[in-house]
């Protein structure tokens, strides 16, 4: 029949179809909701909490469930950035909620790099993993928070094998676990990819050549991010826009230079 004939026949049978309606797309922010935000319902708020590298435990979940009942509408939402949202919190309960002990770690006001680092499970619990990821991701984010001053968020995603459960392909900087041979045997290493995003201009990131030893990831990332910070045209230029402007070849040259000096 072909598409047009099929459509014609379908409309003949079911009548006119609903239009697509207004486009309400408001961009994509990586599913980050840190902080306190007003809801559509007057006087109510939702509170986005950061879960460092997406790892929590049953004690924290018990405490959060109690907080959701005590301060909110009894609901906890999860985000694809491995974080949590408490909803339906009235204005007059916000101050007391924010003082609760569990929110000191699962904070609505996280440090920059820790808040934007995502990791898959890695070899601690995943049979397919080639390397450890979660604890390494936490150490790398902590190092970057302590050593790189940057307001603009950079999304860093770790995965332990090519399956990509940590959404490495859409990260500003994606790290994929692998192994390299050294005189002392095989050791954990990572391939680095740069420039991924979703939303307008959606694009998978591009892998650079040059495998980075596991223990050197934080030093290499600090230098790559500082290069972005010092070379961007303005403080408003995001890491993604920067990579698109300078091109993958420039990022490759910088990584090659960093690795040669390490
Ligand atoms: S990306 Fe690989 S290592 Fe990580 S959780 Fe998925 S299958 Fe496991």
């Amino acid at each position: 029949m072909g598409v047009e004939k099929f459509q014609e026949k379908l409309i003949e049978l079911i009548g006119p179809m609903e239009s697509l309606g207004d486009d309400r797309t408001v961009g994509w922010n990586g599913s980050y909701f840190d902080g306190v935000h007003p809801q559509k319902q007057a006087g109510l708020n939702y509170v986005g909490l950061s879960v460092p590298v997406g790892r929590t435990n049953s004690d924290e979940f018990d405490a959060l469930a109690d907080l959701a009942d005590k301060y909110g509408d009894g609901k906890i939402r999860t985000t694809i950035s491995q974080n949590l949202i408490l909803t339906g919190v009235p204005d007059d309960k916000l101050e007391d909620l924010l003082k609760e002990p569990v929110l000191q770690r699962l904070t609505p006001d996280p440090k920059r790099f820790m808040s934007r680092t995502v990791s898959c499970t890695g070899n601690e619990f995943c049979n397919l993993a080639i390397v450890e990821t979660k604890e390494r991701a936490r150490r790398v984010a902590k190092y970057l928070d302590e050593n790189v001053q940057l307001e603009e968020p950079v999304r860093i995603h770790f995965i332990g094998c090519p399956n990509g459960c940590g959404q490495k392909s859409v990260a500003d900087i994606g790290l994929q676990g692998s192994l390299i041979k050294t005189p002392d045997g095989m050791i954990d290493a990572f391939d680095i990819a740069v420039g991924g995003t979703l939303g307008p201009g959606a694009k998978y990131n591009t892998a650079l050549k040059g495998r980075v030893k596991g223990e050197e990831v934080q030093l290499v990332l600090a230098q790559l991010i500082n290069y972005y910070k010092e070379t961007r045209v303005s403080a408003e230029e995001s890491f993604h826009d920067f990579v698109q402007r300078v091109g993958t070849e420039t990022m490759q040259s910088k990584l090659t230079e960093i690795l040669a000096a390490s």
Side-chain angles (χ1 to χ4, degrees), residues 115-177:
S115 76
R116 294 296 189 273
T117 298
V118 168
S119 173
C120 83
T121 306
N123 69 4
E124 192 179 357
F125 299 112
C126 175
N127 287 339
L128 301 172
I130 300 166
V131 300
E132 197 283 321
T133 52
K134 280 270 193 211
E135 178 53 23
R136 190 187 308 276
R138 193 195 62 76
R139 282 203 309 272
V140 168
K142 184 167 182 285
Y143 177 88
L144 293 174
D145 275 322
E146 288 168 354
N147 293 280
V148 179
Q149 304 301 317
L150 186 71
E151 277 307 305
E152 181 70 30
V154 178
R155 295 175 301 104
I156 301 172
H157 290 219
F158 285 77
I159 54 173
C161 84
N163 285 325
C165 306
Q167 313 148 17
K168 165 244 164 184
S169 301
V170 294
D172 285 321
I173 301 178
L175 295 117
Q176 180 175 318

Side-chain angles (χ1 to χ4, degrees), residues 248-261:
T248 310
E249 280 179 22
T250 303
M251 298 303 287
Q252 178 67 67
S253 302
K254 189 64 196 174
L255 178 63
T256 305
E257 182 191 315
I258 294 168
L259 292 180

